[in-house]
Amino acid sequence: MQAALFIGMLSAARRVPRRLPVPVRSFYNVKEVNVPNWLNGKPVQSKSTEWVEHCNPATLELISRVPNSTPEEMQAAVDSAKKAFESWRRVPFSSRVRIMMRFMELIRDNQAELIHDITTEHGKTIADATGEIVRGMEVVEHACSLSARAPGGMVSGLA
């Protein structure tokens, strides 16, 4: 579920909304939820008949069900990623930095929900979950600072 949330947040960062398009907490407002695949910037319910149950390790309460996606769905994900890469690779580095800084802002704005989700999904303490969020923001910040660290006027291979 974190991967879907991460992809959703990154996609949201490119559109620059004020908050996430889907409330993060909505995953926990229902007894059972099937986690969708993420294709072409949109959630898509899997046609799989096989699902993996995802439980809170502290309570063993069912949080969600994740699909064992079909080969066709996997190919659609690969095709979607290739298509996204083709447009992303043409985005200037300075524009990518602005998108990633917006992504970091979304992480910061949704920190309480993310800490709750990490604690619920992985059984981590709140302090450990907070550390995960801080380290994640440090990674984004480091990636955004690469242009200042690069010698010369061009950074190659960043796509």
Side-chain angles (χ1 to χ4, degrees):
M1 189 166 347
Q2 281 184 321
L5 176 62
F6 174 81
I7 293 167
M9 288 177 70
L10 184 56
S11 179
R14 290 187 79 175
R15 290 189 308 273
V16 193
R18 197 60 223 131
R19 296 284 293 171
L20 289 176
V22 176
V24 176
R25 303 290 295 195
S26 67
F27 287 120
Y28 300 107
N29 293 338
V30 294
K31 185 67 177 164
E32 181 179 333
V33 63
N34 291 340
V35 176
N37 290 321
W38 199 265
L39 297 172
N40 301 313
K42 297 178 186 140
V44 177
Q45 288 299 328
S46 176
K47 293 176 177 46
S48 178
T49 58
E50 297 179 28
W51 296 79
V52 176
E53 291 187 348
H54 182 210
C55 297
N56 179 327
T59 65
L60 301 180
E61 177 186 7
L62 180 66
I63 296 172
S64 63
R65 294 177 352 127
V66 181
N68 280 336
S69 295
T70 66
E72 294 80 17
E73 291 169 334
M74 294 300 292
Q75 188 59 52
V78 169
D79 294 343
S80 174
K82 284 180 180 179
K83 182 180 174 187
F85 174 74
E86 287 305 316
S87 63
W88 181 249
R89 73 187 301 182
R90 289 187 287 276
V91 174
F93 186 73
S94 60
S95 297
R96 292 182 196 190
V97 167
R98 283 192 297 279
I99 292 166
M100 294 306 290
M101 293 301 284
R102 179 66 181 126
F103 176 55
M104 191 166 67
E105 185 180 331
L106 285 168
I107 293 171
R108 191 175 291 114
D109 289 350
N110 293 278
Q111 188 169 349
E113 291 93 343
L114 291 168
I115 290 169
H116 175 271
D117 292 348
I118 292 169
T119 301
T120 302
E121 292 181 17
H122 299 283
K124 291 190 174 207
T125 65
I126 291 173
D128 284 345
T130 302
E132 292 286 334
I133 297 299
V134 170
R135 282 186 293 281
M137 287 191 293
E138 287 172 350
V139 167
V140 174
E141 189 173 22
H142 175 73
C144 290
S145 71
L146 288 176
S147 65
R149 299 171 193 258
M154 183 174 152
V155 179
S156 63
L158 286 176

